[in-house]
Amino acid sequence: MGDKPTIAISHLGCEKNRIDTEHMLGLLVEAGYGVDTNEELADYVIVNTCSFIEAAREESVRTLVELAEANKKIVITGCMAQHFQSQLLEELPEAVAVVGTGDYHKIVNVIERVEQGERVKLVSAEPTYIADENTPRYRTTTEGVAYLRVAEGCDYRCAFCIIPHLRGNQRSRTIESIVAEAKQLASQGVKEIILISQITTNYGLDIYGKPKLAELLRALGEVDVPWIRMHYAYPTGLTPEVMAAIQETPNFLPYLDLPLQHSHPEILRAMNRPWQGRVNDGIIDRIKSALPSAVLRTTFIVGFPGETQEHFEHLLEFIQRHEFDHVGVFTFSPEEGTPAFNLPNQLPQEVMAERHHRVMELQQPISQKQNQREVGKIVDVLIEQENPESGELIGRSGRFSPEVDGQVYVKGVGAASHREAKLGTIVPVAIQSADAYDLYGQVVNSH
């Protein structure tokens, strides 16, 4: 190893951030740096921060302050670095570098400069970088799963969202590049590839002149990996071609994450959502009839400025009617630098909290009912954790995406099943019971 410093990375935020973390790790390892998971032993700690909403920023700040108090040399990367560059350097003397979202691939150079005694600020005003299949990468997910970024940045300008400001406009990778990386991941034994970008249904628009998601899915159908899942599909981008590609590509899970954010046309207009009120024109029903086996996940924001009781009742009725499998709810968080920050009629925190509670309360029995339908079926489960004491295994079926949805708790049946049900493998499980979040079952012996 010689005299190179050791480096730990503290990862905060979403899976898009996670991929940046994995590339930084890959580049550092390739350059001969020791990478340590233990922050106490490392010479430097890279904190890959999130700046999406207030709560995420608070977590980032807490992490930074704790490391500063432990006298760590901190390199701040990610969305918060992009967002508050000068401020961070001013307020945290322990920060030796601030690196923006479009510059993380220069991390080795940053560490070299810091080692020379320089305090580095490397933040491109307009991020344009996107890694490809040749960028070194060190995966941090469980062995069976990998995220695959198909595009970075976003061309939409939703009133509440700071992301385009932090990550730049959409830039897609070519189909060839994505397929090449998918093949690399498959050869490493990955069983589930999750496609991510800010808006996956707009994939390819910038480089091909029109969205090419259907073509991408069909090309990925040729890759030898059992499960491919997609995050962040805008309903209007789920064209008949895309739906047909999902249906006809056997390894593509019919799992759709639709970030709807609201149902009322007036609120959607205030949010500057690209298709405004069209979520009410039967689009969800069309998706369900085109893909009867589809698992639908969505997220909503309650308490957007100007949301009246009537707007909120509209949302409740919408949730009740469509019976989504999974619903995530956020309370509105005013982000400086976004149009919604200065909107009149901001709602009091207790009203937002009450609305959040009501949505969760409404959704629970719906999620329970949807999970209940799995009871009695034999489903494929990707095993991700095992308890050596009890022999209990924990994994996910195609219904559940990592970290945001539920899990499947699996009882083994003696040593024979355990030989087959190893971490990172997909095994058949007979589902015996369900609650609002999780499923419970037993490995089906193939003997």
Side-chain angles (χ1 to χ4, degrees), residues 39-256:
E39 291 164 10
E40 284 175 28
L41 300 177
D43 300 305
Y44 291 94
V45 182
I46 296 172
V47 183
N48 198 3
T49 57
C50 176
S51 193
F52 181 49
I53 52 175
E54 185 63 41
R57 273 203 302 282
E58 283 167 4
E59 184 191 10
S60 295
V61 169
R62 257 198 318 277
T63 306
L64 291 168
V65 168
E66 279 164 20
L67 290 165
E69 284 169 355
N71 289 323
K72 283 291 159 201
K73 290 186 244 177
I74 309 168
V75 175
I76 307 173
T77 64
C79 286
M80 206 161 158
Q82 187 75 24
H83 203 170
F84 301 108
Q85 32 194 311
S86 307
Q87 221 172 314
L88 288 167
L89 285 172
E90 241 161 75
E91 291 175 21
L92 281 169
E94 297 77 5
V96 291
V98 170
V99 181
T101 57
D103 305 278
Y104 65 86
H105 56 298
K106 301 175 190 149
I107 191 68
V108 172
N109 173 259
V110 168
I111 300 291
E112 284 164 359
R113 284 163 61 186
V114 166
E115 282 283 281
Q116 301 300 311
E118 193 184 334
R119 199 172 188 212
V120 182
K121 177 175 153 190
L122 188 62
V123 182
S124 304
E126 184 63 35
T128 54
Y129 176 72
I130 182 164
D132 64 20
E133 74 280 14
N134 301 314
T135 313
R137 181 175 175 187
Y138 182 95
R139 287 209 332 277
T140 59
T141 39
T142 57
E143 51 215 278
V145 180
Y147 292 101
L148 176 48
R149 179 165 18 220
V150 301
E152 170 66 288
C154 183
D155 294 336
Y156 290 157
R157 294 294 180 265
C158 298
F160 54 83
C161 183
I162 193 83
I163 296 299
H165 178 62
L166 303 180
R167 294 212 168 240
N169 284 331
Q170 178 172 307
R171 43 203 188 276
S172 303
R173 295 167 56 182
T174 63
I175 290 178
E176 295 72 22
S177 167
I178 295 166
V179 169
E181 188 173 358
K183 286 181 172 164
Q184 287 170 11
L185 294 168
S187 72
Q188 292 161 18
V190 167
K191 298 289 188 282
E192 176 179 19
I193 290 176
I194 302 174
L195 307 180
I196 57 167
S197 72
Q198 262 68 31
I199 303 175
T200 308
T201 29
N202 277 2
Y203 163 75
L205 182 59
D206 50 318
I207 53 174
Y208 298 116
K210 60 177 201 278
K212 288 274 190 180
L213 182 59
E215 291 83 344
L216 175 64
L217 298 186
R218 291 183 190 279
L220 286 168
E222 307 299 311
V223 178
D224 187 16
V225 64
W227 287 356
I228 298 179
R229 183 189 304 273
M230 166 175 69
H231 275 196
Y232 316 119
Y234 274 43
T236 43
L238 292 169
T239 59
E241 299 79 59
V242 170
M243 300 296 257
I246 293 173
Q247 191 108 41
E248 291 157 24
T249 307
N251 56 355
F252 200 82
L253 296 172
Y255 173 100
L256 295 171

